[in-house]
Structure formats: structure tokens, C-alpha cells
Amino acid sequence: MRRDPLTFLASELDTLRQQGLYRPLRVLQTAQAARISCDGQSVVNLSSNNYLGLTTHPRLRAMAVEALDRYGVGSGSVRTIAGTMEIHMELERRLAAFKQTEAVVVFQSGFTANAGTVSSILTKGDVVISDELNHASIIDGCRLSRAEIKVFPHRDVDAARAIVCGLPADQRKLIISDGVFSMDGDLGALPALCALAEEFGGIMMVDDAHASGVFGRNGRGTIDHFQLHGRVDIQVGTLSKAMGALGGYVAGNRALIDFLHHRARPFLFSTSHPPSVAATCIAAIDVLEQEPTLIDRLWENTTFFKSGLQALGFDTGLSQSPITPVIVGEASLAARLSDRLFAEGVFAQSIGFPTVPHGKARVRTIVTATHTREELQFALETFGRVGRELGIID
Ligand SMILES: Cc1ncc(COP(=O)(O)O)c(C=O)c1O
């Protein structure tokens, strides 16, 4: 009989189990919402990126159904062959107007937008100057590009400057940061990094996945929040989080977008969005423009919940956004906290190495615009009770 050549994977999984780091997938039986049924249990959901509750918004649902009826379920091709429909073009026009840039190209996800862009605009001999906590999709894009990768400590612009000063003046440089860091919820040092890019003729790129729909006027992102229009060459956003559906996009000048049409591998080699998803995303832009009160509610809930966790004595790090980590240190303790919270009716996932550094394991919480005060109060009471039980707070 043939010996299974994959047994080494099973032993790696056993190691994870022994370390208390094995996490089975949790499965939702309901739509993604503030309260869900998950693994058969009704829980207050603090684990989604559904910041504005748009996954179930009536306007998005209606536009999706209309597009489904009109265009069918799939696009049937990659964008460059037969997979570009008028509705894809309309979404890109709407996004460009919303972001106040010349043009936009939509990718299948925020991940492919980052990885596809960095890997196509840079090549061997170029250099990337990257914040150490940038998203995995940026890191993968950097590796694929074969450019030299120089990492600076988180938000340390002096260190980034020291790196840039040591580089040849004529070497092509990309300075890149998340707008909102996904595990800590703090903001990138964008104004200072823009100044650095301008001083040394570098390309400035921001991944605004967690800022889209959350920061800036009507959710235009951190570039709008910091008033950096015209100073960031490449803006990446996602349609998969606050926008409620799926996808990523790159906003910039016409030449950048035309170049990506010709060179970005996910654009060239992977099928485009189903038309219903494109229609859903257009509806999400309508909602951002017409219902900014949803964003106000998100921030009210964020302030209430974050200050509640802090008053209980939890370490919430340096968060400046609706992403509020509850940092506990050891990964096994974070996993126990998450499991106990779940048993008590609150879903907040634990995050450990390699997603966050060793010793910085946490339970990550994200409130949404659609959580009620009662749900958030219940979650705070549960955090307090379980946190005391596990000796995390007094
Ligand atoms: C900072 C950041 N960038 C990019 C992405 C990828 O976005 P998407 O989920 O649309 O692929 C994520 C999502 O996890 C993220 O947190």
C-alpha cells in the first residue's frame, strides 16, 4: 500500500493541538450580522469586518437580485478576455469618483489587489520600504516582485527615513503602509511617510482595507481622513469588509490603472466578479453617500465598547479604530478567553502567532453600526466576568 506522503502535516497539527493553538473553523448558520447563530449557538458577534452591517442591507440585496436576474450568476471569463461587463466598468467609475482619483481597477479581493499591484509595478533591483505590521498580502506581493524588502519597525518614520537615506538616489523606491492596521487597530504614520516619499522621490502606497467605509468623509478612507489627496500614488481598498460584499480595488492615476490592466497577474489570470457582486458594491457606494449616519453609529458604538473594555481593566493596545484588541499575552490564554466568551454567548476570535508576534496574543473585537446598546452591554458584562475568572483582570 502507498505510504501517505502528507503524514508530516498531521504531526504538525498535533503540535498545534498540544500547544492549544489548534482552532477549528466556526460555522455560521445565519447571515453575517450583529447577532448570529454560530456552531448552533446564538451569540453576539464581535468577529466580523461587517462594520456598517451592509451584508444584509436591503438596498444591496435588491441590487444583487436585480443584477442576478439580468446578467446571470457568473462573468464567465477573466477581465482581459470576455469578463468585462458594463457593470464592472460602472463600479470602477463610481469608485474613482468616490475616491477622487483618475481611475480605479477592481480585483477579486483586497488580497489580490495588494499582491497583484506590488508584484507587477516592482521588479528586481527596486526596493520596498514596508511597515513591519503590514498585511500578509503586501508581504506576499513584495516577495513575488523580487524587489529588495526593507522593513521598518511599526510606525517608526525615523527608522524608515534612515533606510531611505542609505539607498542610491536612482533606485526605485516604494514606501508602503496599511491605513488601519488589522490586528491593532491603529493608524499608519501616513502624513510623515508621504513627506518622506516626496523628499526622496518614492512611490507612496496605502492599503486602506480597514479604513474603507470607516474613516474619512462618507468612509472615503484614511487619505481623506488625513487630507492627503494627491499625495498617495496608490490607494488600495477592499469591498469585502465595510462594503459588505467581496473584492478589492486600486485607485490612482490613469497610467497606473492601464499598467495594471496589462501586468497585474490576478487581473490577467483569474475570473472577474459575478455581475451581482459588482452591482452590490455599487449599491454599497450609494449607501455610503446617502446614509452617513451608519458611520456615525459605528463610531458611537466603538467609543462605548472600547471605553467599556478599558474601564474593566483590559489592555486594548493603541487602537484608534473600531478594531479593538484585548491583549492577553500567551496564545493559549487568548484561545481560552475566546472559548469561554463563546460559551457565554459572545463570539470574539483569538489571534496568535504568526498573525501577531509571540507574547502579544489577543482576542480581537470589532463592533458594527448595527449592534444594539443591549448587545454591547451584554458583551462587556461577559468580558468582565470571564476576564476575572481567567485572572486577566482584577
Ligand atoms: C489590512 C488588510 N489588507 C488587505 C486585506 C485583504 O482584503 P480581502 O479580504 O478583501 O481580500 C485584509 C483582510 O484581511 C486586511 O486586513
Side-chain angles (χ1 to χ4, degrees):
M1 209 173 69
R2 182 171 174 261
R3 241 187 85 239
D4 180 0
L6 296 179
T7 46
F8 72 101
L9 299 181
S11 65
E12 290 206 12
L13 289 171
D14 282 343
T15 309
L16 288 181
R17 281 190 194 92
Q18 281 153 21
Q19 294 169 339
L21 300 178
Y22 181 84
R23 308 298 291 162
L25 297 177
R26 292 219 181 268
V27 181
L28 279 68
Q29 286 77 43
T30 52
Q32 184 64 263
R35 180 173 278 280
I36 53 173
S37 170
C38 181
D39 288 349
Q41 194 174 324
S42 173
V43 285
V44 172
N45 180 12
L46 298 176
S47 287
S48 84
N49 302 309
N50 183 24
Y51 290 105
L52 302 175
L54 297 197
T55 52
T56 51
H57 191 286
R59 184 175 178 89
L60 276 70
R61 283 180 192 257
M63 293 271 282
V65 170
E66 193 187 312
L68 202 65
D69 286 343
R70 185 157 169 203
Y71 299 110
V73 296
S75 74
S77 174
V78 301
R79 288 287 298 273
T80 48
I81 300 184
T84 298
M85 295 173 159
E86 180 48 43
I87 200 149
H88 295 119
M89 302 304 288
E90 186 187 337
L91 171 59
E92 289 171 343
R93 280 194 297 274
R94 287 291 304 277
L95 281 168
F98 185 67
K99 298 293 282 189
Q100 300 174 11
T101 58
E102 255 175 50
V104 157
V105 55
V106 169
F107 286 77
Q108 300 83 354
S109 68
F111 196 106
T112 55
N114 272 327
T117 300
V118 176
S119 62
S120 61
I121 63 166
L122 296 183
T123 188
K124 210 167 172 16
D126 298 338
V127 58
V128 194
I129 299 100
S130 175
D131 188 291
E132 67 175 332
L133 295 189
N134 278 343
H135 190 253
S137 52
I138 294 175
I139 297 168
D140 286 7
C142 293
R143 289 176 181 158
L144 283 169
S145 75
R146 292 176 299 144
E148 201 181 333
I149 303 167
K150 302 268 190 191
V151 174
F152 59 90
H154 183 46
R155 301 188 76 249
D156 187 341
V157 180
D158 289 340
R161 186 166 224 290
I163 293 170
V164 176
C165 285
L167 297 170
D170 61 351
Q171 190 174 22
R172 184 170 297 129
K173 302 169 187 67
L174 174 71
I175 299 177
I176 185 161
S177 173
D178 281 4
V180 176
F181 287 88
S182 57
M183 294 300 139
D184 290 270
D186 54 344
L187 300 184
L190 304 188
L193 289 175
C194 281
L196 184 65
E198 284 156 2
E199 185 182 344
F200 289 88
I203 305 162
M204 183 68 205
M205 175 165 168
V206 173
D207 168 14
D208 239 358
H210 284 279
S212 312
V214 176
F215 279 88
R217 286 167 306 139
N218 299 76
R220 284 181 169 80
T222 52
I223 282 79
D224 193 77
H225 170 78
F226 285 119
Q227 299 186 11
L228 295 171
H229 290 286
R231 298 180 64 191
V232 174
D233 305 291
I234 307 174
Q235 297 182 45
V236 169
T238 181
L239 303 163
S240 328
K241 302 186 193 296
M243 306 294 269
L246 177 70
Y249 59 90
V250 179
N253 70 20
R254 187 75 257 166
L256 169 71
I257 304 310
D258 277 350
F259 180 84
L260 294 174
H261 286 175
H262 289 84
R263 285 287 179 272
R265 291 169 74 81
F267 187 83
L268 294 169
F269 295 110
S270 184
T271 298
S272 55
H273 275 129
S276 57
V277 173
T280 310
C281 296
I282 293 170
I285 302 171
D286 292 342
V287 171
L288 289 185
E289 288 176 343
Q290 291 162 22
E291 291 182 53
T293 48
L294 276 178
I295 303 176
D296 298 339
R297 224 174 303 145
L298 168 67
W299 281 101
E300 283 160 22
N301 280 349
T302 297
T303 306
F304 175 77
F305 191 68
K306 201 189 292 288
S307 57
L309 285 173
Q310 288 162 351
L312 285 167
F314 286 109
D315 175 5
T316 59
L318 300 172
S319 167
Q320 299 162 275
S321 73
I323 300 171
T324 306
V326 173
I327 301 170
V328 299
E330 285 310 309
S332 53
L333 181 58
R336 256 194 302 146
L337 174 59
S338 175
D339 288 345
R340 283 291 300 123
L341 288 168
F342 192 82
E344 299 286 324
V346 175
F347 181 25
Q349 274 288 19
S350 60
I351 315 268
F353 182 81
T355 310
V356 295
H358 281 300
K360 292 272 181 193
R362 64 204 55 197
V363 160
R364 177 173 176 256
T365 69
I366 298 183
V367 299
T368 70
T370 50
H371 281 97
T372 62
R373 266 305 137 90
E374 292 69 35
E375 285 164 344
L376 295 180
Q377 190 60 50
F378 169 77
L380 284 173
E381 282 161 18
T382 311
F383 258 97
R385 197 170 60 252
V386 174
R388 281 189 290 275
E389 171 194 313
L390 296 180
I392 298 166
I393 52 169
D394 298 327

